[in-house]
Amino acid sequence: MKSAKIINFLDSSKNKITPFSIDSVKINGFMGEYLEKMLRVTIFSQYEMLEKVGTIDNFLIASGKKEGSFKGMVFSDSDVYKWLEAASYALLFTGDRELKEKVDRTIQEIKEAQDENGYLNTYFTFERKKERWSDLATKHELYCAGHLIQAAVAHKRVTGEDTLLDVAIKFADLIANTFGPNKKRGAPGHPEIEMALVELYRETKNQKYLNLAKYFLEERGNGYASTYKFFNPEYYIDHKPFKELEEMTGHAVRMLYLCNGATDIYLETGDEEIFSTLERLWNNLITKKMYVTGGIGSRYEGEAFGEEYELPNKRAYTETCAAIASFMWNYRMFLATGEAKYVDLMELILYNGLLSGLSIDGKNYFYVNPLEDRGKHRRKSWYDCACCPPNIARTLTSFPGYMYATSKDGIYINLYEGSEANLEYKNSKVKLTQETDYPWTGKIEINISTEEDNTFNIFLRIPSWVDNFEIEVDGEKVPKNMEKGFLRIQKNWKGGHKVELGFPMTMKYIESHPFVRENIGKVAIKRGPLVYCAEKTDNKEGDVWNYIIDINGEVEEENAEIENKKIIKLKAKGCFEELKDWEEKLYTKIGSIKTDKEQIKINLIPYFAWANRSKGPMVVWLKK
């Protein structure tokens, strides 16, 4: 079995940080519950939905094994590929024979649907064959190919089998023979294939795949990835060359996947122009275009970024796939730099804008993740456009692979989670366990042991939300030597040693830049990495949209559960204004309405957990 890393760098790669294999880590804490849900519930229920809506049948129809016509969105093949990637990762943690049989059977159906020349897309079969490669902007051929390649590489790394990889290589070779300099010109309307081709290069060491990824990136801005049929070129990020981009723009997921691919290309080529563009775009994102939950995408129209500071709450689009794409991009930026600020953002996204996309029972999904609602927005078991559910699954089944990393300087602990890791570093076998109830508490006990006489650094990420922290090794305080947001501890770790890390889990009120006009006079509430919200289910008095929180009042914490998921609820002092005098009025002269304020306790729950109970209004930003 090969090393099942999310990204498997070559010796020639320009990364500063290297991942460990996903299966080198076993998790048993907060995220462990989600992984267990993936293995027992989500992976199987998603497969049932793929069968139910006809997505898997599309491959049988394409191969001639079944009669019928194509069902679903033009890019439905990618849902199967993302599911296969998730199911492959799941096989690292379960010996479930039924799951392995489903994976093998699905791969066989995909293989039989492939044309002799390597082409594979079930939408473009039979009467649509003549339309192949004719509409790269909207028909998602290269996007689907990218997800096939990613699934194939993951499957190969997990199982050591070539069954799906052979299919992907055959298709990738056809694409490489079709597009490029002195060939057919083109670029994907929906970026995705760029990062897939780079990973295929890493897996096969075949330079042509990296060259093709670079070609697709450099071809943007020439009009080959866009059409005016539905949106303008900026929607497709085809309005100017990548290196000239000044802001995050266009369709949010497309833009973020493009940044993922560009970062992968930088990691293999060292092109500093690409990286300076990426840094410029990242700064634009976090200072002007990101929600407090880490969510991304302000507009329903075009599922797009808005203008700077355009961050509406009820109308927030914040697609789950955009959160995942940002999580992936920030991981790559961390691998390129070793800077903790990128992992800080991964953590914010994960615990808020990403996990909100999945119900606690693991069966239902948000496509859109607003920051306020009147009780109408609910998760669904599936969507006609079903990109988000299997995207969540492939992210959460690979989560252990994001927790730790290494460099020539030492081992990095990126994310805190109850876990046991068996790692190899400089010919030493290192066992590392975390005992913690993070993100509910900031108390983390890390036990590190190795049999070899070897001195090296352990780097502990100190989250940016932490104001102060405590650190002891074997019961003694150690210097707080910080490097790029990590605490560095150098020691000979032979035998067993205990590291005790403590972050005060204090509650903080967050305010927006004044240009985020909708949030003027309002605050959001964070406790540690978690953003909180007020939901009607916990607040029977008045309307949560009209709550006023006392930012100087005492806040109580209370252990609670939502759908058997342990949470910490907050109780803050506040009040609400009676609205009866506003009946039949939309505007009135200031001072003409006499409002009575009723004192209440405002109950707050983590944002990721909302909409798992009865319907009702929800709000993140509260008046102060």
Side-chain angles (χ1 to χ4, degrees), residues 30-143:
F30 177 88
M31 291 303 300
E33 294 177 9
Y34 278 97
L35 178 58
E36 188 64 26
K37 197 77 72 175
M38 289 293 113
L39 303 181
R40 291 190 295 104
V41 178
T42 308
I43 295 291
F44 289 100
S45 64
Q46 287 189 3
Y47 184 83
E48 290 172 6
M49 292 305 301
L50 290 167
E51 283 194 314
K52 180 179 179 181
V53 302
T55 313
I56 290 176
D57 276 353
N58 285 337
F59 290 91
L60 281 75
I61 293 167
S63 65
K65 294 174 68 174
K66 192 170 187 176
E67 292 186 359
S69 58
F70 179 90
K71 296 181 180 65
M73 307 291 280
V74 66
F75 46 80
S76 291
D77 287 5
S78 67
D79 299 334
V80 177
Y81 300 147
K82 280 181 278 189
W83 179 85
L84 270 174
E85 185 179 350
S88 295
Y89 293 140
L91 291 173
L92 291 168
F93 304 104
T94 176
D96 194 299
R97 183 176 297 178
E98 180 188 355
L99 179 59
K100 182 63 166 66
E101 289 173 354
K102 289 183 188 302
V103 168
D104 291 345
R105 186 166 62 250
T106 304
I107 290 172
Q108 184 61 31
E109 301 301 351
I110 292 168
K111 181 178 179 180
E112 292 179 13
Q114 187 171 35
D115 278 7
E116 288 186 12
N117 71 349
Y119 187 89
L120 179 56
N121 189 303
T122 66
Y123 179 80
F124 290 97
T125 52
F126 307 120
E127 72 278 2
R128 294 197 189 98
K129 273 190 176 184
K130 62 182 181 296
E131 300 174 28
R132 292 175 180 178
W133 308 132
S134 64
D135 186 357
L136 297 180
T138 69
K139 290 299 194 287
H140 290 71
E141 285 169 276
L142 294 172
Y143 169 85

Side-chain angles (χ1 to χ4, degrees), residues 235-281:
Y235 165 87
Y236 301 95
I237 315 98
D238 195 34
H239 58 301
K240 61 174 68 174
F242 178 79
K243 292 177 181 178
E244 295 179 15
L245 292 173
E246 297 291 336
E247 64 174 341
M248 301 293 282
T249 189
H251 183 276
V253 178
R254 282 172 164 84
M255 180 77 232
L256 288 159
Y257 275 7
L258 182 61
C259 290
N260 273 277
T263 310
D264 274 324
I265 291 167
Y266 163 76
L267 282 163
E268 299 306 327
T269 65
D271 186 331
E272 292 297 337
E273 259 194 288
I274 290 177
F275 193 71
S276 63
T277 303
L278 291 165
E279 287 186 308
R280 183 167 65 244
L281 294 172

Side-chain angles (χ1 to χ4, degrees), residues 214-355:
K214 288 165 56 182
Y215 166 76
F216 283 140
L217 180 69
E218 292 166 358
E219 190 68 285
R220 304 199 85 80
N222 294 321
Y224 293 101
S226 58
T227 174
Y228 281 92
K229 190 187 301 182
F230 302 111
F231 297 99
N232 65 27
E234 190 169 351
Y235 165 87
Y236 301 95
I237 315 98
D238 195 34
H239 58 301
K240 61 174 68 174
F242 178 79
K243 292 177 181 178
E244 295 179 15
L245 292 173
E246 297 291 336
E247 64 174 341
M248 301 293 282
T249 189
H251 183 276
V253 178
R254 282 172 164 84
M255 180 77 232
L256 288 159
Y257 275 7
L258 182 61
C259 290
N260 273 277
T263 310
D264 274 324
I265 291 167
Y266 163 76
L267 282 163
E268 299 306 327
T269 65
D271 186 331
E272 292 297 337
E273 259 194 288
I274 290 177
F275 193 71
S276 63
T277 303
L278 291 165
E279 287 186 308
R280 183 167 65 244
L281 294 172
W282 189 85
N283 285 324
N284 175 256
L285 174 66
I286 67 161
T287 61
K288 295 180 174 68
K289 296 196 174 186
M290 186 181 74
Y291 284 88
V292 70
T293 57
I296 295 169
S298 306
R299 297 179 178 178
Y300 273 67
E301 183 184 11
E303 302 181 322
F305 286 98
E307 296 179 5
E308 293 180 353
Y309 307 110
E310 183 189 334
L311 296 165
N313 293 316
K314 185 174 184 292
R315 188 173 55 78
Y317 200 72
T318 49
E319 183 183 338
T320 301
C321 281
I324 291 168
S326 185
F327 182 86
M328 292 161 52
W329 180 31
N330 278 279
Y331 183 59
R332 285 162 168 76
M333 292 294 280
F334 164 65
L335 298 177
T337 65
E339 293 190 37
K341 66 181 182 181
Y342 299 113
V343 189
D344 288 342
L345 194 48
M346 290 171 64
E347 179 181 74
L348 174 70
I349 295 163
L350 174 69
Y351 288 127
N352 300 290
L354 197 162
L355 287 182

